[in-house]
Amino acid sequence: QSMSSLGASTLSSVSDLGVIVLGAKYNGLNALQTVSRGIGNLFRGVPSAERLELQADLGLALNSLTGKLAHGRFTPEDDVRGMVGALQQKFFTWNLQNRWTDAFRESIAEMLSANLARRVGDGFDVLPERLRTTLDLYGIDAGRWDLIRQAELGEVEGSRFLSPSALDDLPDHALQGYLEANERPATAAGIKELRRDLQRQLRAYFVDQRDYMMLTPDAGPMGMLKQGTQRGTGPGEAV
């Protein structure tokens, strides 16, 4: 019965568009372009190797390959196994829920990356106020943005993107100058840690904003839902 009630989940997912529009505004994106790109992705074929590499860098491909996207959005357990689990995944494929979720997650991640790529010529104070506020949530302030925007942009199918792996090629002297300006040890280890920290912050931005705009529950909401109970117990089954 619970599965049959999800038969029209794709139709109900049209409400995702409202959340995507709101998320676009808080990231300095054009809301109409973000939605139209997601809809266009519904009809796009198998992505090229270059695009798959970009998606992996943005923290997207691994989740797509596990086949749990729609399942994770609509069911409270994330490890339904065996025949039931296989049928459940086929169910979400047949009703096009997986396709909808995949297409919009891809478009959101790519739009976020392309948006930052377009703005690498702007200082932090020139960025839209809402984008500055959002980046600051991940510890990306003016100094760190100045480092990130020095990264060499990648190009996929004629579009430019700013991705975490691009920070691998940031010159050491730029990182060293940042550390010295902030009175931190500018050692080889310090430079390496700063580079990895920048990559973590940038990847967290892409992953979190993508999941906020597609309302995908993570460990936090699941913990609140289960309240520390265990499956198979009375309280766990009731929850």
Side-chain angles (χ1 to χ4, degrees), residues 59-136:
L60 212 163
L62 181 60
N63 284 337
S64 295
L65 291 173
T66 62
K68 295 181 180 178
L69 294 177
H71 172 217
R73 297 186 70 201
F74 292 101
T75 60
E77 297 295 346
D78 61 359
D79 63 345
V80 179
R81 299 168 183 164
M83 183 180 296
V84 173
L87 289 173
Q88 190 174 57
Q89 285 308 311
K90 289 183 183 298
F91 174 87
F92 283 119
T93 298
W94 291 333
N95 78 344
L96 301 181
Q97 182 65 64
N98 279 335
R99 184 62 175 168
W100 173 276
T101 306
D102 270 337
F104 276 95
R105 283 167 62 94
E106 291 168 6
S107 66
I108 289 168
E110 291 176 5
M111 287 288 286
L112 291 171
S113 178
N115 182 56
L116 294 187
R118 284 193 299 270
R119 300 185 183 278
V120 293
D122 298 334
F124 195 73
D125 59 337
V126 180
L127 298 177
E129 181 180 358
R130 286 178 170 176
L131 178 58
R132 292 200 308 269
T133 301
T134 303
L135 290 175
D136 194 54

Side-chain angles (χ1 to χ4, degrees), residues 109-236:
E110 291 176 5
M111 287 288 286
L112 291 171
S113 178
N115 182 56
L116 294 187
R118 284 193 299 270
R119 300 185 183 278
V120 293
D122 298 334
F124 195 73
D125 59 337
V126 180
L127 298 177
E129 181 180 358
R130 286 178 170 176
L131 178 58
R132 292 200 308 269
T133 301
T134 303
L135 290 175
D136 194 54
L137 293 174
Y138 300 93
I140 302 176
D141 55 15
R144 295 198 167 213
W145 171 246
D146 282 341
L147 289 175
I148 290 172
R149 67 195 188 101
Q150 294 180 48
E152 183 176 351
L153 301 179
E155 186 170 331
V156 177
E157 299 173 10
S159 299
R160 299 198 306 168
F161 298 94
L162 174 62
S163 65
S165 65
L167 303 182
D168 283 334
D169 298 323
L170 275 180
D172 286 351
H173 65 79
L175 299 171
Q176 181 179 358
Y178 176 88
L179 291 171
E180 291 174 347
N182 288 272
E183 300 181 350
R184 293 171 55 186
T187 62
I191 291 173
K192 181 179 180 180
E193 178 56 31
L194 175 58
R195 190 189 305 277
R196 295 293 175 259
D197 197 32
L198 290 170
Q199 290 178 318
R200 285 193 294 268
Q201 290 172 321
L202 191 57
R203 186 169 284 112
Y205 165 72
F206 292 134
V207 171
D208 283 359
Q209 291 303 308
R210 178 200 70 206
D211 286 350
Y212 290 155
M213 292 166 73
M214 280 301 288
L215 293 179
T216 305
D218 56 20
M222 297 310 298
M224 294 174 63
L225 172 66
K226 296 181 180 180
Q227 293 294 307
T229 60
Q230 299 295 318
R231 71 186 67 179
T233 65

